[in-house]
Amino acid sequence: MTEPFAPPGPPVTALPEPAGADDGPPPARFAYDVHTWKEIGHLLANLPVSLIGFTYTVTMLFTGAGLAVTVIGLPLLAVGLVGARLLGRLERARARKLLGVRVEEPSRLPWRGARRLWPRLWLALKDPVGWRTVLYELMRLPWGIVTFVVTLTGLFVLWPVLPFVVRALANADRAMVRGLLSPSDELERRIAELESDRGVVVDTAAADLRRIERDLHDGAQARLVNLAMGLGLAKEKLLEDPDAAASMVEEAHGEVKLALQELRDLARGIHPAVLTDRGLDAALSSVASRCTVPVTVTVDLDERPAAAIEGIAYFTVSELLQNVSKHSGARSASVEAWRSDGRLFLQVRDDGHGGARMDGGTGMRGLADRLDAVDGLFVVDSPVGGPTTVTAELPWRDRSGHLAPNPRTARRAPARGRR
């Protein structure tokens, strides 16, 4: 296991970059570098690409509008708008590859909510992403001609200052891509994010059910079957050989104890009773006591969060402490939990050999996905040689169901140093 912040300094939560944000290419200079050549290639490709897009758009618009009085006009226009979405995706990919513009993909049309023909038709006809792509393609033809002519001419007569001319033209292209091909607004990006998170939640719940079923089938159920067989044999021998029957009953008693222990462990894995009865402080202390290295637990919460948030926090720390036991080689560890600015923070540190990664097969990726599904964040800082710090951040929802503001729109996240 390992850590994500430079101890003893305060942990700083890394928030996702806003849509369309990118570092951009380095400043233009007289020497032609790789960025300049990419921009030149993009501008020269504007003409043929815009010709294809313009032809498709005009044909689609005139055909759909001209046949609107018939039964096939509006369906043709709807299909054309769906195709325009594909053109927009190709343009975003081209801008990403050649201009370095990182624009998020718009959310897909919610076809599942519209099962009949006319609701689907109306959904496609009112699609703002499709119409903005149509506007983009109509504007691109004259712009593509200008950029093609200026760039091609500049390669022969303006080559000393061409990088600066190309940069200005490419910046105009970047502005058009961000303005017309970005998701409609923050709400649309949020919808796409929630759709992805919902899939993670469903997959996680299905995986948990399979794990519980497997544990019951291979553990307690198998022991109870053996217990039933043993008691049946003991019943047959009760009159013939009382001593053998007593021995078999004794073995069955041992099986009962083991089955009960396995059922307790399974119930604790579903939701520990100590968490429900006494809260996060006692539950984290309980899970820390089962770690193979000494663990210091510090919980600074003036009230209990909602049961769902409390459960996620518990199982996150439990999984991280299991990693400390199995993989870290640490001599000591610490767990901290605190609330700040409407967020619940968890931080697990150890002094092990470090090198923990999200893809290292220790369940880190799964934990990150689970936290992301509830608007949480998960950061791992684990340099080789240690120490390791893992910081998890969850939205604070109190027992009445009140949810603090979503931090994904915040400019800065709260930080906390060692106490």
Side-chain angles (χ1 to χ4, degrees), residues 111-261:
W111 296 118
R112 292 182 180 179
R115 298 184 179 277
R116 297 184 179 180
L117 175 61
W118 289 111
R120 289 193 169 205
L121 183 63
W122 177 243
L123 189 65
L125 288 175
K126 68 176 185 178
D127 177 27
V129 175
W131 284 111
R132 287 203 317 274
T133 305
V134 166
L135 177 60
Y136 177 84
E137 296 297 347
L138 292 176
M139 295 172 52
R140 292 292 291 178
L141 182 59
W143 176 250
I145 294 173
V146 170
T147 58
F148 181 84
V149 172
V150 171
T151 305
L152 187 62
T153 304
L155 284 172
F156 296 98
V157 299
L158 297 175
W159 59 267
V161 294
L162 184 60
F164 301 94
V165 176
V166 164
R167 178 57 52 82
L169 296 175
N171 284 339
D173 262 348
R174 291 184 175 97
M176 279 191 279
V177 170
R178 291 193 187 103
L180 293 176
L181 298 183
S182 293
S184 299
D185 50 26
E186 181 63 28
L187 177 60
E188 184 171 334
R189 287 192 292 273
R190 183 68 179 143
I191 290 173
E193 196 174 70
L194 290 175
E195 288 176 349
S196 175
D197 291 347
R198 180 180 61 185
V200 172
V201 171
V202 171
D203 292 342
T204 300
D208 287 341
L209 287 175
R210 290 194 299 270
R211 176 183 60 81
I212 293 170
E213 181 183 13
R214 184 185 64 247
D215 291 345
L216 282 172
H217 182 271
D218 298 340
Q221 179 178 323
R223 290 196 180 279
L224 291 174
V225 170
N226 290 334
L227 172 62
M229 293 174 61
L231 289 176
L233 293 174
K235 182 180 178 181
E236 293 177 358
K237 290 183 174 293
L238 185 59
L239 297 177
E240 300 175 4
D241 190 352
D243 293 336
S247 176
M248 296 175 71
V249 170
E250 183 67 25
E251 291 179 4
H253 185 247
E255 287 289 328
V256 169
K257 290 182 177 179
L258 292 174
L260 287 174
Q261 183 60 44

Side-chain angles (χ1 to χ4, degrees), residues 64-392:
L67 296 176
V69 294
T70 69
V71 294
I72 64 171
L74 292 180
L76 281 177
L77 185 59
V79 171
L81 287 171
V82 174
R85 272 181 161 253
L86 178 59
L87 288 177
R89 183 185 304 173
L90 296 175
E91 281 294 297
R92 283 188 292 272
R94 187 167 73 99
R96 186 163 51 245
K97 182 71 173 177
L98 298 177
L99 298 181
V101 178
R102 294 177 291 188
V103 176
E104 293 185 19
E105 293 292 329
S107 58
R108 296 180 179 181
L109 290 172
W111 296 118
R112 292 182 180 179
R115 298 184 179 277
R116 297 184 179 180
L117 175 61
W118 289 111
R120 289 193 169 205
L121 183 63
W122 177 243
L123 189 65
L125 288 175
K126 68 176 185 178
D127 177 27
V129 175
W131 284 111
R132 287 203 317 274
T133 305
V134 166
L135 177 60
Y136 177 84
E137 296 297 347
L138 292 176
M139 295 172 52
R140 292 292 291 178
L141 182 59
W143 176 250
I145 294 173
V146 170
T147 58
F148 181 84
V149 172
V150 171
T151 305
L152 187 62
T153 304
L155 284 172
F156 296 98
V157 299
L158 297 175
W159 59 267
V161 294
L162 184 60
F164 301 94
V165 176
V166 164
R167 178 57 52 82
L169 296 175
N171 284 339
D173 262 348
R174 291 184 175 97
M176 279 191 279
V177 170
R178 291 193 187 103
L180 293 176
L181 298 183
S182 293
S184 299
D185 50 26
E186 181 63 28
L187 177 60
E188 184 171 334
R189 287 192 292 273
R190 183 68 179 143
I191 290 173
E193 196 174 70
L194 290 175
E195 288 176 349
S196 175
D197 291 347
R198 180 180 61 185
V200 172
V201 171
V202 171
D203 292 342
T204 300
D208 287 341
L209 287 175
R210 290 194 299 270
R211 176 183 60 81
I212 293 170
E213 181 183 13
R214 184 185 64 247
D215 291 345
L216 282 172
H217 182 271
D218 298 340
Q221 179 178 323
R223 290 196 180 279
L224 291 174
V225 170
N226 290 334
L227 172 62
M229 293 174 61
L231 289 176
L233 293 174
K235 182 180 178 181
E236 293 177 358
K237 290 183 174 293
L238 185 59
L239 297 177
E240 300 175 4
D241 190 352
D243 293 336
S247 176
M248 296 175 71
V249 170
E250 183 67 25
E251 291 179 4
H253 185 247
E255 287 289 328
V256 169
K257 290 182 177 179
L258 292 174
L260 287 174
Q261 183 60 44
E262 290 184 357
L263 287 173
R264 289 194 194 98
D265 293 340
L266 182 60
R268 187 186 296 117
I270 297 173
H271 195 83
V274 65
L275 181 62
T276 302
D277 298 338
R278 300 175 57 192
L280 198 58
D281 192 351
L284 293 184
S285 297
S286 174
V287 75
S289 67
R290 298 194 296 271
C291 187
T292 58
V293 301
V295 180
T296 302
V297 178
T298 306
V299 177
D300 183 14
L301 299 176
D302 53 1
E303 61 177 311
R304 293 179 63 177
I309 299 300
E310 201 172 53
I312 294 173
Y314 171 83
F315 287 111
T316 298
V317 173
S318 178
E319 181 73 20
L320 292 174
L321 289 181
Q322 286 185 39
N323 286 344
V324 172
S325 298
K326 296 177 182 178
H327 308 293
S328 70
R331 294 184 300 275
S332 64
S334 65
V335 175
E336 290 185 88
W338 71 95
R339 179 185 180 185
S340 177
D341 294 341
R343 306 288 284 177
L344 173 61
F345 288 85
L346 306 166
Q347 195 164 82
V348 178
R349 296 187 180 95
D350 70 71
D351 57 1
H353 50 63
R357 304 190 314 275
M358 297 290 281
D359 57 350
T362 56
M364 296 281 193
R365 181 74 266 165
L367 288 176
D369 290 341
R370 289 193 183 197
L371 266 67
D372 186 64
V374 293
D375 286 339
L377 293 173
F378 188 80
V379 185
V380 179
D381 178 31
S382 184
V384 176
T388 294
T389 301
V390 179
T391 300

